[in-house]
Amino acid sequence: MQPKRLPFLLAAPAALVLTSLSASADFTYNDFSSTAGLQLNGAAAVSGTALRLVPSVLTSGGSAFTTAQVPLGGLNSFSTYFQFQITNPIGIVDEDGSGADGLVFVVQTVNNNVGGVGGGIGYAGITPSVGIEFDTYNNGVGAGDPSGNHVGIDLNGSLNSVVAIDEPDDRFNDGTVWNAWVDYDGTLNNLEVRWSRTQTRPILPQLQSNVNLTSVLGQNTAFLGFTAATGSAAGNHDILNWQYVDEFAPILVPEPSSALFALGILGTIFQSRRRRA
């Protein structure tokens, strides 16, 4: 399947235009001037038009999840894209400077909640779940951290990643806007993660793993969202925008000049007409 190009919604300030369209569970937040459809927990709040999961204060945690469980689509496949930014790092230092602890994209079935703070990145203890961590502090090999700047695929609330890789070139918490893509192909049980400082989607994934999402979650619906936490070091952890499609349809970065497409709502879940390439 060819990658799809989804448009940013140009409406303001609500970020979402609603109309009843279809039974798919696709949604787009081109910013978070409205958080309709999301439950914010712990320290999470809107800052400007960003979703600030946790501010730059010590020992805090926050999360944001869909208010209802979202269908994961055919064979539990999905693709998602988001931008994040971590600013104002403070506190104790590791090998690449101050700031902690990172954020996690989470697919989980429990509820809208926040897990362990500090090295738990707001994800620790959330089970059953799959998490993609962007970790900014080295808590040591015993905590499953290969470095103070890495990406890992986590299962069932454990930060001892099943697979992890360093981001050797740039710090995630240096104030840069980062782009992230997560794609899951349920026909192959293949989970892929990509990230870049630019909006050009990397051709090859930097991280991937064979994960049977059905077996991990025990069902084909889930709460989707993000967690973050701080400990003896901190930073502002912001999600700037977010897109999700309930099929394996890798997302290319939208062009601002694209036409406006409406979103629908089914219950408390934002939905859109499925657009196939």
Side-chain angles (χ1 to χ4, degrees):
M1 179 178 294
Q2 294 297 313
K4 69 166 65 173
R5 187 180 296 272
L6 294 181
F8 275 121
L9 293 180
L10 305 180
L16 295 173
V17 175
L18 305 181
T19 183
S20 182
L21 292 177
S22 73
S24 70
D26 303 359
F27 57 81
T28 298
Y29 291 88
N30 70 315
D31 62 38
F32 294 93
S33 52
S34 170
T35 57
L38 297 177
Q39 173 67 47
L40 277 55
N41 309 293
V46 173
S47 177
T49 60
L51 173 59
R52 179 154 293 173
L53 298 170
V54 66
S56 186
V57 298
L58 303 183
T59 316
S60 184
S63 72
F65 286 104
T66 53
T67 54
Q69 295 195 36
V70 174
L72 295 174
L75 296 172
N76 290 353
S77 300
F78 69 86
S79 290
T80 194
Y81 162 80
F82 57 93
Q83 288 185 312
F84 70 88
Q85 185 178 32
I86 305 176
T87 58
N88 192 31
I90 62 171
I92 61 174
V93 302
D94 59 7
E95 67 270 20
D96 66 355
S98 67
D101 273 273
L103 59 87
V104 188
F105 169 72
V106 183
V107 180
Q108 53 103 350
T109 66
V110 182
N111 208 327
N112 299 298
N113 51 11
V114 184
V117 299
I121 321 182
Y123 173 71
I126 298 178
T127 185
S129 68
V130 174
I132 309 301
E133 65 168 82
F134 294 84
D135 195 319
T136 64
Y137 190 81
N138 189 352
N139 287 285
V141 176
D145 288 354
S147 73
N149 199 63
H150 63 272
V151 181
I153 295 175
D154 304 332
L155 300 179
N156 295 324
S158 171
L159 277 299
N160 284 280
S161 303
V162 296
V163 60
I165 188 171
D166 291 339
E167 166 48 57
D169 297 326
D170 301 289
R171 281 164 43 98
F172 287 127
N173 57 355
D174 68 355
T176 296
V177 173
W178 286 88
N179 301 268
W181 297 261
V182 180
D183 299 284
Y184 180 71
D185 185 348
T187 63
L188 301 175
N189 292 335
N190 189 47
L191 180 62
E192 299 180 346
V193 187
R194 294 168 171 82
W195 59 93
S196 175
R197 291 170 69 105
T198 76
Q199 291 184 312
T200 300
R201 175 187 168 93
I203 295 174
L204 298 176
Q206 290 103 315
L207 189 65
Q208 61 184 331
S209 182
N210 186 268
V211 177
N212 190 319
L213 196 61
T214 303
S215 296
V216 173
L217 299 179
Q219 61 188 57
N220 60 3
T221 62
F223 297 103
L224 307 175
F226 303 89
T227 70
T230 64
S232 297
N236 298 315
H237 292 63
D238 295 338
I239 305 296
L240 305 181
N241 53 65
W242 181 23
Q243 299 177 48
Y244 171 86
V245 293
D246 67 345
E247 58 180 323
F248 180 73
I251 296 170
L252 297 179
V253 175
E255 296 177 358
S257 59
S258 297
L260 173 66
F261 286 83
L263 291 184
I265 188 167
L266 177 63
T268 56
I269 306 172
F270 289 109
Q271 304 179 332
S272 74
R273 191 188 307 274
R274 182 171 298 170
R275 300 177 52 80
R276 298 182 184 274

